[in-house]
């Protein structure tokens, strides 16, 4: 499914439900360039520590634009012993919302643009219909500007906090409480002070306005809600191929400024890393995505049974559509299933040593997932 500025809002519920029902997700990105200095193979090498690789990419790669984001959800059908997929291609472009919103500058790498053009990439769709976005800091600044203008227009100097109840109007926050409320980003303090009989959580309205909901519940219900909250926060397993740049650009463009040091993400799995780690290291010769997918069709591996959900684009691996982000995400998911099924047919725990392109550093990563035999 193609998602652009014109159908973004209408597609959100479909995207949310696909993610919610999925057993795991696969992602991929297409960029306007990779490195503003030496090419990536020269920029990084196998002797780099994960921190060194991260810092080099952070310095030389973040001024490019992620302008197509691919997402493929995989849901296992136990009765039919098959995976049902839903694929999304998001076209993205930071078009300014108004005169005061950020006017993003980015650079292009001629070789990357030439290569994508040779693959039939639709640049017009990106620039004319790409989905605009803000990161968290930019959104906060824009909202503050809006509130300031609104306050000036109605003669009120106090910011308004909107109640999620539509029958209630905005309430003015007293000066002495404003700083405290501004710092309440979670509800651990309230949970500590009222550990019994109350369930406290921070929620958002459709307009992304935060409010605190306090519910009176018995101890059993409170524990049940806490478990649900923890499950939501843990999230789905996300699979990518050589995915460090994809993750870095996703955080940088849509969430916040990249941290100074490499962080640990426990729910990410890299199929390129899997292919270079035992027991696959002795079985797989080439780890580029296209070649990896071909090798995983042959013995001792077995291709998984996959069907496309109704209403979504169907991909034929015999006719490669590489470098369309959604297709690459789809292929990445297929590779993961094939390798996972090779390891076993029940619940399996996989340990991966840190290598040069790993997301997490100085740890042995522990991924637990259910492997469905195909």
């Amino acid at each position: 499914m193609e998602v652009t500025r014109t159908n973004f809002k209408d597609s959100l519920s479909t995207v949310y439900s696909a993610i919610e029902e999925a057993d795991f997700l696969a992602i991929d990105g297409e960029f306007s360039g990779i490195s503003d200095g030496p090419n990536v193979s020269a920029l990084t090498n196998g002797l780099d520590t994960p921190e060194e690789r991260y810092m080099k990419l952070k310095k030389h790669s973040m001024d490019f634009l992620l302008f197509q984001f691919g997402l493929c959800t995989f849901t296992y059908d136990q009765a039919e012993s098959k995976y049902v997929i839903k694929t999304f291609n998001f076209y993205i472009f930071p078009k300014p919302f108004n005169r005061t919103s950020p006017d993003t500058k980015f650079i292009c790498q001629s070789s990357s643009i030439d290569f994508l053009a040779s693959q039939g990439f639709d640049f017009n769709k990106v620039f004319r219909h790409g989905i605009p976005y803000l990161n968290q800091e930019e959104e906060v600044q824009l909202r503050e500007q809006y509130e300031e203008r609104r306050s000036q227009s109605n003669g009120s100097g106090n910011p308004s906090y909107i109640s999620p109840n539509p029958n209630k109007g905005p309430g003015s926050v007293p000066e002495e409480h404003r700083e405290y409320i501004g710092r309440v980003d979670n509800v651990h303090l309230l949970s500590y002070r009222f550990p019994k009989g109350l369930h406290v959580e921070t929620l958002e309205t459709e307009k992304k306005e935060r409010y605190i909901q306090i519910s009176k519940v018995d101890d059993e219900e409170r524990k049940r809600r806490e478990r649900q909250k923890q499950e939501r926060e843990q999230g789905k397993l996300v699979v990518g191929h050589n995915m460090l740049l994809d993750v870095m650009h996703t955080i940088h463009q849509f969430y916040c400024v990249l941290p100074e040091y490499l962080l640990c993400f426990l729910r990410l799995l890299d199929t390129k890393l899997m292919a270079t780690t035992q027991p696959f290291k002795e079985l797989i010769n080439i780890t580029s995505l296209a070649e990896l997918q071909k090798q995983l069709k042959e013995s001792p591996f077995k291709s998984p049974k996959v069907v496309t959900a109704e209403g979504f684009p169907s991909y034929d691996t015999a006719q490669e559509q590489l470098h369309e982000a959604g297709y690459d995400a789809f292929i990445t998911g297929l590779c993961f299933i094939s390798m996972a099924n090779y390891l076993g047919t029940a619940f399996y725990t996989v340990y991966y040593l840190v290598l040069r392109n790993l997301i997490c550093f100085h740890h042995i990563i522990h991924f637990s997932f259910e492997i469905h035999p195909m």
Side-chain angles (χ1 to χ4, degrees), residues 29-82:
E30 298 297 336
F31 311 102
S32 64
I34 301 297
S35 171
D36 63 7
N39 59 47
V40 171
S41 60
L43 179 66
T44 62
N45 60 72
L47 298 179
D48 286 340
T49 65
E51 297 100 318
E52 289 171 339
R53 181 177 175 85
Y54 173 77
M55 294 304 296
K56 288 178 180 180
L57 292 176
K58 183 173 181 285
K59 179 180 179 180
H60 292 283
S61 299
M62 292 301 104
D63 288 333
F64 296 103
L65 182 68
L66 168 62
F67 48 36
Q68 190 184 61
F69 183 85
L71 169 68
C72 188
T73 66
F74 289 76
T75 305
Y76 189 66
D77 184 335
Q78 189 76 42
E80 299 290 334
S81 297
K82 64 185 180 184

Side-chain angles (χ1 to χ4, degrees), residues 102 117 158 166-168 195 203 206 243 285 317 320 327 334:
N158 290 333
N167 298 321
K168 296 181 180 180
L203 302 175
E206 293 181 357
M243 69 190 301
N285 299 320
T317 56
E320 292 184 348
Y327 178 80
L334 294 184

Side-chain angles (χ1 to χ4, degrees), residues 241 271 274 289 292-294 296 304 330-340:
H241 188 82
T271 51
M274 287 182 71
L289 183 58
L292 177 62
Q293 196 263 335
K294 291 176 183 177
L296 291 173
F330 165 63
I331 293 299
T332 298
L334 294 184
C335 292
F336 166 66
I337 296 170
S338 294
M339 288 190 283

Side-chain angles (χ1 to χ4, degrees), residues 88-347:
F88 302 89
N89 271 303
F90 297 88
Y91 289 85
I92 303 159
F93 187 69
K95 177 182 178 180
F97 289 89
N98 55 39
R99 292 182 302 172
T100 61
S101 61
D103 191 2
T104 303
K105 295 180 181 180
F106 66 94
I107 60 177
C108 295
Q109 196 169 21
S110 57
S111 59
S112 296
I113 299 300
D114 180 64
F115 175 76
L116 289 175
S118 71
Q119 302 294 311
F121 190 87
D122 193 341
F123 292 98
N124 281 334
K125 189 171 292 184
V126 169
F127 299 135
R128 294 188 63 186
H129 304 294
I131 303 164
Y133 60 87
L134 298 169
N135 63 30
Q136 275 193 340
E137 183 179 351
E138 291 167 342
E139 180 184 358
V140 168
Q141 292 175 352
L142 207 59
R143 286 184 182 276
E144 288 177 349
Q145 292 172 5
Y146 171 76
E147 288 295 332
E148 184 177 355
R149 290 197 302 270
R150 192 176 69 167
S151 297
Q152 292 174 350
S153 65
N154 62 21
S156 172
N158 290 333
S160 296
Y161 287 77
I162 308 300
S163 167
N165 187 339
N167 298 321
K168 296 181 180 180
S172 180
V173 179
E175 181 70 32
E176 64 270 19
H177 297 157
R178 198 176 304 163
E179 181 182 355
Y180 171 75
I181 291 179
R183 288 188 282 107
V184 176
D185 219 12
N186 55 58
V187 294
H188 296 303
L189 178 61
L190 289 173
S191 296
Y192 173 77
R193 291 184 63 188
F194 306 103
K196 294 184 179 180
L198 293 178
H199 175 75
V200 188
E201 60 182 327
T202 301
L203 302 175
E204 286 186 349
T205 67
E206 293 181 357
K207 296 181 179 180
K208 302 296 183 182
E209 293 158 339
R210 289 189 175 188
Y211 63 96
I212 296 173
Q213 178 175 287
I214 304 175
S215 306
K216 187 175 182 179
V217 296
D218 58 31
D219 192 53
E220 182 178 345
E221 175 65 14
R222 184 179 64 84
K223 290 179 179 178
R224 185 186 69 82
R225 293 192 186 186
E226 286 297 329
R227 285 195 300 270
Q228 290 179 339
K229 180 182 177 184
Q230 290 173 3
E231 290 173 359
R232 289 196 305 268
E233 290 175 347
Q234 186 180 37
K236 305 282 184 176
L237 175 66
V238 179
V239 179
H241 188 82
N242 202 18
M243 69 190 301
L244 182 55
L245 264 181
D246 301 278
V247 174
M248 290 174 68
H249 272 282
T250 300
I251 294 173
H252 174 70
Q253 288 187 205
F254 311 131
Y255 183 51
C256 64
V257 175
L258 285 171
E260 184 177 355
Y261 301 104
L262 183 60
L263 298 178
C264 182
F265 301 93
L266 294 180
R267 299 296 293 177
L268 301 183
L269 189 146
D270 196 317
T271 51
K272 186 176 181 72
L273 181 65
M274 287 182 71
T276 58
T277 306
Q278 295 289 3
F280 304 109
K281 184 177 181 180
E282 306 299 327
L283 303 171
I284 296 171
N285 299 320
I286 305 174
T287 60
S288 66
L289 183 58
E291 292 302 318
L292 177 62
Q293 196 263 335
K294 291 176 183 177
Q295 292 176 79
L296 291 173
K297 288 182 177 180
E298 307 296 331
S299 179
F301 304 104
K302 183 180 178 181
S303 298
K305 185 179 179 182
V306 176
V307 297
T308 303
E310 184 178 354
F312 286 82
S314 180
Y315 291 122
D316 182 2
T317 56
Q319 299 177 345
E320 292 184 348
Q321 295 173 250
L322 293 169
H323 304 291
E324 177 186 285
Y327 178 80
D328 284 0
F330 165 63
I331 293 299
T332 298
L334 294 184
C335 292
F336 166 66
I337 296 170
S338 294
M339 288 190 283
N341 281 331
Y342 175 81
L343 293 173
T345 58
F347 283 92

